[in-house]
Amino acid sequence: TSGDIYSGRVKAYRSAMVAATFLMDYENARSPSLSSNIESITSSQLHLCQLRHSNVWQATIMLAAAALFYASCIEGDDFKHSGALLAGLTAFSVIVFVCDMLIRYHYKKKTTGSDNNVQVSGDDATDDLVKLRKTRAGMWMVPLSVLLSALSLNTVFIILRREDTVF
């Protein structure tokens, strides 16, 4: 029937997307973005993984980092009337980095869950290396969250400290 053919095509397309994601991770020397339990991978995880590793998202991350550097340049006394610009650049950067962390958390949550003991290659050394890379890749979220919070508070205090700040 046509329903079976459609279902088979969707399954084949989904399998190709999963394989492509694993191949892109390998080509870019990243730890696997998705779970090794292929049946547990959802369509939203596939789409978010593709979004996060796309050139557009990487350019957005670079733009957010550049906005942070530019915001640090306008904090001085020479730029007394730039409170809105400082707040806007900081808010843009914080929002982009928080979205990046949320996207990563969403498509990684099943990877670090119940299938954490799945062997990747059968070789204990390789499996330990993969687990170590996954652990290191996830460790940056806490320091980044602390730094983004501190940056936001710093920006608020800088703006409130200025007597002649114009919005």
Side-chain angles (χ1 to χ4, degrees):
T1 67
S2 64
D4 292 337
I5 293 172
Y6 178 74
S7 175
R9 286 183 183 166
V10 169
K11 201 172 203 179
Y13 176 75
R14 188 177 172 287
S15 297
M17 295 292 289
V18 170
T21 302
F22 280 114
L23 181 60
M24 286 188 300
D25 288 340
Y26 176 76
E27 287 176 339
N28 292 305
R30 293 188 296 252
S31 62
S33 297
L34 298 170
S35 171
S36 58
N37 182 2
I38 295 174
E39 297 300 321
S40 70
I41 299 171
T42 64
S43 295
S44 65
Q45 286 175 314
L46 274 173
H47 293 301
L48 287 175
C49 187
Q50 288 177 340
L51 170 71
R52 186 169 185 271
H53 296 301
S54 70
N55 290 336
V56 172
W57 188 251
Q58 296 304 315
T60 304
I61 293 288
M62 294 298 173
L63 187 62
L68 281 179
F69 282 107
Y70 184 66
S72 69
C73 292
I74 62 172
E75 287 180 358
D77 292 330
D78 297 337
F79 299 96
K80 291 184 186 242
H81 301 290
S82 59
L85 182 61
L86 178 62
L89 290 172
T90 303
F92 168 73
S93 299
V94 168
I95 289 169
V96 168
F97 287 124
V98 167
C99 286
D100 188 59
M101 287 189 296
L102 290 174
I103 288 171
R104 188 177 197 290
Y105 172 77
H106 180 71
Y107 76 74
K108 279 284 197 184
K109 68 181 173 184
K110 288 191 178 181
T111 302
T112 58
S114 60
D115 65 325
N116 208 18
N117 295 324
V118 172
Q119 288 188 340
V120 177
S121 66
D123 179 19
D124 289 338
T126 303
D127 291 335
D128 290 341
L129 181 62
V130 169
K131 288 177 187 175
L132 179 65
R133 290 183 75 188
K134 285 182 183 180
T135 304
R136 284 185 182 163
M139 288 178 10
W140 65 271
M141 291 176 103
V142 173
L144 184 59
S145 299
V146 170
L147 288 173
L148 290 175
S149 300
L151 176 68
S152 300
L153 286 173
N154 181 41
T155 301
V156 167
F157 289 134
I158 286 172
I159 292 172
L160 292 176
R161 185 183 69 201
R162 293 181 182 168
E163 297 174 2
D164 56 350
T165 299
V166 176
F167 284 100

